[in-house]
Amino acid sequence: MKTKITLLNKTYQFNSLKEILAKANEEKSGDQLAGIAANDAQERLAARHLLADLTLSDIRNNPVLPPEEDEVSRVIEESINEKIYQSIANWTVSDLREILLAESTTNREISRIRRGLTSEMVAAAAKIMSNLDLIQAASKIEVVTQCNYPVGHKGTLAGRAQPNHPTDSIQGIRASLYEALSYGIGDAVIGINPVIDSAESVKQILQMTKEEIDRFQIPTQNCVLAHVTTQMRAIRNGAPSDLLFQSLAGTEAGNTAFGISVGLLDEANDLIQKEGTAAGPNLWYFETGQGSELSSDAHHGIDQVTLEARCYGLAKKYKPFIVNTVVGFIGPEYLYNSKQVIRAGLEDHFMGKLQGIPMGVDVCYTNHMKADQNDMENLAVLLGSAGVNFLIGVPMADDCMLNYQSTSFHDIASVRRVLGLRPSPFFEKWLEKMGIMESGILTERAGDPTLFM
């Protein structure tokens, strides 16, 4: 594997694929904090030149984290279709990029190619793409999944209703849910982040959301985003849960910090398949985000983009219904400003979709980042153009429980309107029945939560 290159009369020597991948990244404060970022733009360019000319077999034969040392690596390695891999092993990363962007390459062909790719190959392709490349390639990919109802069809944009409340007040959650529904948001999932991580509290919230779904015959699914072990206890106690949720990291050590393992996820998967309330077959909701492994000192010197791609390689094992990156939630230590957040959102969406993941994005930022709501609206429109499966909506774009800024219910409705996108098919029919939407356009009744009171 070539690790040395001369550019403008200066020779650059890299020690490993791990170093090349890290230094080929767009500038990220997380890589700088980890001490693995390129020293300057010229070194970044040198790393990209080398990366573009590496073959896919070079990447597979030089693992950033060997399978014998890490169970996430083992999951990724075991997922490879050897026959398809052998047919593309001699492609360079540049070849992969060109094929993904070629007008003649269809979603069907990409679906075949992905079965021979490791997560590191996917990350490598992202690193030599521009933002527009990431949008164009991702826009070709359609990933349709079904829990109770399907999402992900081309020409649609679903929304997760996130009616969080700072004290887990059932009445407060219900009121926020009514507002979301009145704007046509909630087709991806009604998903609440709980304050109280107890099985009884989770059960109460699940029961309320299931009652509202049944009462109004809403074509959606419910979920409470507690730790997976808490949800498992709630389900065993009779809680009506359509989906199981868990945050993922890209290394075994990172997942250990989250209190999970592949063995635990396997156990949880068996439970939701047997005792979950949804028709399926896709019964998982995962969240990720660049930088989480660095937070727990579990990154092994691997850059945050590559680690993020590995999260999707792990998620794929469980055939999830939806996955989203909480792109700007962790803070400026990992994504310093709006430019880095926008880049990360487009990278994550592309890397997830290329691996066959039904990818959404929480377009968000914390108040101590150099970003504002205009930046988030820009990213939401870019992701809508890229074919993102869903976005997350909170009241007035301000999450009163998690204390971060996201997109509002009406922001998602606006992105749909501007880009000519529709809600998921069954949900749109329900909105029309409720008088909230007509021919893909919100009516005068939209935005009035008292419709449900």
Side-chain angles (χ1 to χ4, degrees):
M1 186 181 73
K2 185 180 177 183
T3 58
K4 186 167 69 172
I5 189 172
T6 300
L7 283 181
L8 301 175
N9 298 318
K10 184 174 180 179
T11 299
Y12 296 86
Q13 174 68 60
F14 300 94
N15 295 318
S16 63
L17 174 63
K18 186 189 298 187
E19 184 180 5
I20 294 171
L21 285 167
K23 294 195 171 181
N25 261 359
E26 286 283 336
E27 186 174 353
K28 300 283 176 64
S29 54
D31 292 336
Q32 293 167 342
L33 182 64
I36 59 175
N39 293 313
D40 51 38
Q42 191 167 326
E43 186 180 30
R44 182 174 299 112
L45 184 62
R48 284 183 181 168
H49 269 283
L50 275 175
L51 184 60
D53 289 337
L54 293 182
T55 64
L56 301 186
S57 61
D58 286 332
I59 293 175
R60 191 177 186 189
N61 294 336
N62 293 274
V64 295
L65 190 53
E68 57 270 20
E69 298 176 14
D70 182 271
E71 66 179 9
V72 176
S73 297
R74 289 195 292 276
V75 167
I76 294 168
E77 182 65 23
E78 290 164 3
S79 72
I80 299 302
N81 180 302
E82 291 296 339
K83 187 173 289 188
I84 295 175
Y85 166 72
Q86 290 300 328
S87 72
I88 64 176
N90 292 327
W91 288 3
T92 65
V93 176
S94 179
D95 291 335
L96 176 59
R97 173 188 175 274
E98 292 298 321
I99 288 164
L100 293 173
L101 293 173
E103 288 294 328
S104 58
T105 304
T106 63
N107 178 56
R108 182 183 181 88
E109 176 62 10
I110 293 171
S111 298
R112 186 191 72 85
I113 291 168
R114 75 164 60 104
R115 298 175 65 202
L117 298 175
T118 67
S119 300
E120 288 80 3
M121 297 170 193
V122 170
K127 292 166 190 288
I128 64 167
M129 285 182 160
S130 69
N131 286 6
L132 186 56
D133 290 342
L134 296 170
I135 293 169
Q136 180 184 344
S139 70
K140 297 181 177 188
I141 304 172
E142 182 182 51
V143 183
V144 178
T145 52
Q146 179 163 322
C147 180
N148 285 317
Y149 295 89
V151 297
H153 300 88
K154 277 217 177 263
T156 66
L157 172 61
R160 169 189 159 192
Q162 184 171 295
N164 294 344
H165 191 275
T167 64
D168 284 348
S169 161
I170 296 296
Q171 184 177 358
I173 293 170
R174 183 185 287 113
S176 182
L177 172 59
Y178 288 170
E179 183 184 10
L181 295 170
S182 74
Y183 279 107
I185 307 307
D187 41 350
V189 66
I190 297 169
I192 295 92
N193 297 84
V195 177
I196 305 165
D197 195 78
S198 72
E200 183 56 35
S201 179
V202 167
K203 182 179 178 179
Q204 289 176 3
I205 297 171
L206 285 168
Q207 286 175 329
M208 182 276 288
T209 54
K210 184 62 74 174
E211 288 167 4
E212 295 299 326
I213 289 171
D214 292 344
R215 177 185 175 196
F216 293 104
Q217 295 297 294
I218 308 168
T220 189
Q221 30 281 317
N222 73 341
C223 185
V224 172
L225 285 71
H227 192 271
V228 67
T229 53
T230 307
Q231 295 169 77
M232 291 167 72
R233 289 195 298 273
I235 291 170
R236 286 171 176 144
N237 290 336
S241 182
D242 292 329
L243 288 164
L244 271 180
F245 166 84
Q246 183 53 47
S247 297
L248 296 181
T251 67
E252 182 177 347
N255 286 316
T256 299
F258 281 149
I260 63 168
S261 65
V262 169
L264 176 61
L265 294 177
D266 288 345
E267 179 187 351
N269 187 60
D270 185 60
L271 177 68
I272 194 66
Q273 294 289 340
K274 292 179 179 177
E275 299 188 35
T277 48
N282 307 113
L283 302 175
W284 276 96
Y285 175 11
F286 293 119
E287 278 190 346
T288 66
Q290 289 190 28
S292 62
E293 299 85 2
L294 181 57
S295 296
S296 56
D297 194 25
H299 59 102
H300 298 277
I302 306 167
D303 68 274
Q304 61 190 49
V305 174
T306 302
L307 289 170
E308 183 70 10
R310 287 167 55 89
C311 292
Y312 308 136
L314 174 58
K316 186 168 63 173
K317 171 180 168 67
Y318 300 98
K319 299 178 174 59
F321 174 62
I322 49 176
V323 177
N324 74 264
T325 170
V326 192
V327 66
F329 181 71
I330 302 180
E333 301 89 341
Y334 310 107
L335 299 170
Y336 180 69
N337 56 22
S338 60
K339 182 177 181 180
Q340 294 185 16
V341 170
I342 288 170
R343 174 69 187 187
L346 297 176
E347 288 169 339
D348 295 354
H349 176 250
F350 163 79
M351 293 190 299
K353 278 289 185 67
L354 182 51
Q355 294 182 78
I357 294 296
M359 199 68 200
V361 178
D362 188 355
V363 178
C364 62
Y365 66 103
T366 59
N367 287 312
H368 59 315
M369 295 177 73
K370 289 187 176 296
D372 61 27
Q373 204 61 33
N374 285 330
D375 298 317
M376 298 305 102
E377 292 173 9
N378 291 345
L379 178 53
V381 172
L382 292 174
L383 287 165
S385 301
V388 70
N389 278 28
F390 72 101
L391 298 175
I392 290 178
V394 298
M396 297 300 293
D398 184 9
D399 192 300
C400 62
M401 191 280 279
L402 291 171
N403 291 313
Y404 78 119
Q405 312 307 308
S406 185
T407 43
S408 70
F409 305 136
H410 54 278
D411 288 339
I412 300 173
S414 295
V415 173
R416 285 175 178 162
R417 186 76 176 96
V418 168
L419 298 178
L421 302 171
R422 310 288 278 260
S424 299
F426 286 93
F427 200 75
E428 180 173 351
K429 290 178 182 177
W430 177 80
L431 290 171
E432 290 179 343
K433 185 180 77 171
M434 296 295 293
I436 294 170
M437 180 169 278
E438 186 175 329
S439 299
I441 299 173
L442 293 177
T443 67
E444 291 185 0
R445 300 188 75 187
D448 180 5
T450 62
L451 292 170
F452 300 94
M453 295 174 64

